[in-house]
């Protein structure tokens, strides 16, 4: 395919996030956080799914459905093992109706073993969690359309259940699936409307440093392309910037970041390789530099990988907002 024949890149979209924990002002200020994201120009506001220090995502989405007007709301991402898909489908379509058709439903296999253990929920081996998620995605696809579901799987059995209420969006609210490993990416490519491209992680849930490079990210996108086949063009690709570091000296900040990693910070990273400052500056998952430089880096990420839906970690929303002004509409 020549450059003249290549499809035009998707326009950028931007997702803020919040947990409703004490650092953000608590659950009572959570709706104001989403309203602020709406004011700052974010396209969506996403809530993670943890049993620890955060709001319950389903209840919080119900509140945001009536507290906001335009911003899309969703989950990034729900742990499939925490909820039965038939119950989740009813909650999701209810939220879609209440919000006027603004839900994006993100779901994954669940990856934080400690949380399953704390809640007394069985943390099954990866193959089982992924197989359960695949069954859930098939059930959700039917019920989120308001259709009757009859499903006889290994883990879930649904008999004559019709999805209700009917969602506001047609044919159903978009489903997002995130992953970093080949099996999760292949599953996402098969079923999801939005694929969140994450670095691979260890069995303990630590992010592999080797996965944050541009080359590793592009390779994951190519794996999605191969698994998706003809439907690849219909998939929106998302990634989440883990740190926004405005600075006039990109190189010095990159060296500081390398120093922190070598000293074991942040603790959720497994330093399985040694990276250079150039690797850090090229990474899609770090935003370092002036606002113009960060905007240029995000354009470069889209050119290299076709990823266009940019997520920002909770607490980074205002730091990144000036970049949105530079990229909005592109």
């Amino acid at each position: 395919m020549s450059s003249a024949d290549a499809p035009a890149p998707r326009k950028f979209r931007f997702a803020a996030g919040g947990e409703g924990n004490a650092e953000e002002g608590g659950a009572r200020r959570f709706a104001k956080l989403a309203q602020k994201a709406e004011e700052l120009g974010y396209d969506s506001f996403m809530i993670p799914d943890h049993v620890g220090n955060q709001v319950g995502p389903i209840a919080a989405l119900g509140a945001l459905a009536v507290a906001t007007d335009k911003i899309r709301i969703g989950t990034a991402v729900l742990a499939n093992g925490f909820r039965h898909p038939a119950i989740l489908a009813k909650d999701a379509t209810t939220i879609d109706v209440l919000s006027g058709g603004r839900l994006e439903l993100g779901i994954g296999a669940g990856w934080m073993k400690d949380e399953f253990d704390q809640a007394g929920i069985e943390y099954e081996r990866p193959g089982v969690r992924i197989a359960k998620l695949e069954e859930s995605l098939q059930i959700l696809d039917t019920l989120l359309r308001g259709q009757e579901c009859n499903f006889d799987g290994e883990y879930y059995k649904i008999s004559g259940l019709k999805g209700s209420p009917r969602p506001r969006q047609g044919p159903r609210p978009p489903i997002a699936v995130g992953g970093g490993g080949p099996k999760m990416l292949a599953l996402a490519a098969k079923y999801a409307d939005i694929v969140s491209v994450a670095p691979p992680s260890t069995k303990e849930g630590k992010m592999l440093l080797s996965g944050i490079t541009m080359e590793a990210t592009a390779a994951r996108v190519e794996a999605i392309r191969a698994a998706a086949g003809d439907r690849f063009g219909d998939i929106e690709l998302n990634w989440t910037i883990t740190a926004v570091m405005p600075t006039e000296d990109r190189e010095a900040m990159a060296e500081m970041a390398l120093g922190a990693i070598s000293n074991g910070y942040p603790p959720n990273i497994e330093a399985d390789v040694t990276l250079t400052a150039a690797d850090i500056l090229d990474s899609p998952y770090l935003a370092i530099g002036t606002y113009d430089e960060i905007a240029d880096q995000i354009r470069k990420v889209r050119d290299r990988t076709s990823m266009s839906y940019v997520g920002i970690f909770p607490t980074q929303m205002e730091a990144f907002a000036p970049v949105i002004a530079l990229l909005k509409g592109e």
Side-chain angles (χ1 to χ4, degrees):
M1 180 185 290
S2 69
S3 58
D5 297 326
R10 282 180 180 265
K11 288 192 173 184
F12 287 118
R13 286 206 301 145
F14 301 95
E19 298 179 346
N21 54 36
E23 290 80 3
E24 296 173 0
R28 289 190 297 177
R29 292 186 57 82
F30 192 67
K32 292 186 182 300
L33 194 66
Q35 291 166 349
K36 182 66 174 178
E38 195 167 52
E39 292 171 13
L40 292 173
Y42 284 90
D43 299 284
S44 60
F45 187 85
M46 297 292 154
I47 309 172
D49 187 21
H50 299 296
V51 298
N53 183 23
Q54 70 153 82
V55 294
I58 302 299
L61 284 174
L64 297 189
V66 296
T68 59
D69 297 317
K70 297 179 180 178
I71 197 168
R72 295 180 66 77
I73 55 176
T75 52
V77 294
L78 298 178
N80 182 62
F82 290 170
R83 298 167 193 83
H84 192 286
I87 306 306
L88 173 59
K90 179 169 286 292
D91 285 338
T93 53
T94 300
I95 291 164
D96 196 58
V97 172
L98 293 176
S99 67
R102 293 185 283 132
L103 176 67
E104 293 178 10
L105 183 65
I107 188 168
W111 59 278
M112 292 188 69
K113 182 179 184 301
D114 287 351
E115 295 196 345
F116 280 78
D117 292 344
Q118 289 170 349
I121 300 171
E122 184 179 2
Y123 186 74
E124 294 155 317
R125 58 184 175 82
V128 173
R129 283 182 283 121
I130 292 172
K132 281 188 168 182
L133 176 60
E134 181 164 17
E135 291 192 8
S136 285
L137 289 167
Q138 294 173 71
I139 293 166
L140 288 168
D141 182 60
T142 300
L143 293 177
L144 291 180
R145 296 171 188 266
Q147 298 174 349
E148 181 178 306
C149 182
N150 290 280
F151 186 85
D152 186 14
E154 183 176 354
Y155 303 102
Y156 302 110
K157 299 185 186 301
I158 310 290
S159 178
L161 179 64
K162 186 174 183 180
S164 68
R166 287 189 62 86
R168 182 72 175 269
Q169 296 180 83
R172 57 159 173 71
I175 294 174
V177 177
K183 290 182 179 179
M184 276 299 299
L185 292 175
L187 183 66
K190 184 176 180 181
Y191 293 102
D193 307 291
I194 302 165
V195 177
S196 295
V197 185
S201 59
T202 67
K203 290 180 180 179
E204 295 74 32
K206 286 190 173 184
M207 184 177 70
L208 291 175
L209 186 63
S210 58
I212 75 167
T213 67
M214 181 76 85
E215 290 306 313
T217 307
R220 290 196 294 279
V221 171
E222 287 309 306
I224 295 167
R225 186 191 303 273
D230 292 342
R231 71 182 300 267
F232 181 76
D234 297 327
I235 295 173
E236 185 175 32
L237 297 177
N238 159 260
W239 84 104
T240 298
I241 294 172
T242 58
V244 180
M245 295 174 272
T247 178
E248 296 289 333
D249 192 337
R250 296 185 81 217
E251 288 71 20
M253 185 66 78
E255 293 289 352
M256 287 179 60
L258 286 173
I261 291 168
S262 66
N263 288 320
Y265 183 84
N268 64 335
I269 289 181
E270 179 76 25
D272 59 325
V273 294
T274 300
L275 299 184
T276 66
D279 293 328
I280 293 293
L281 293 174
D282 206 33
S283 171
Y285 299 94
L286 299 168
I288 302 173
T290 65
Y291 296 125
D292 285 320
E293 288 171 332
I294 292 172
D296 284 341
Q297 170 64 3
I298 289 171
R299 294 184 185 104
K300 182 180 177 183
V301 170
R302 185 176 65 178
D303 290 344
R304 180 73 175 83
T305 68
S306 74
M307 299 191 303
S308 59
Y309 189 5
V310 188
I312 304 300
F313 258 42
T315 73
Q316 303 272 282
M317 182 174 76
E318 295 197 49
F320 186 80
V323 181
I324 294 179
L326 297 172
L327 294 173
K328 200 76 170 176
E330 289 191 18

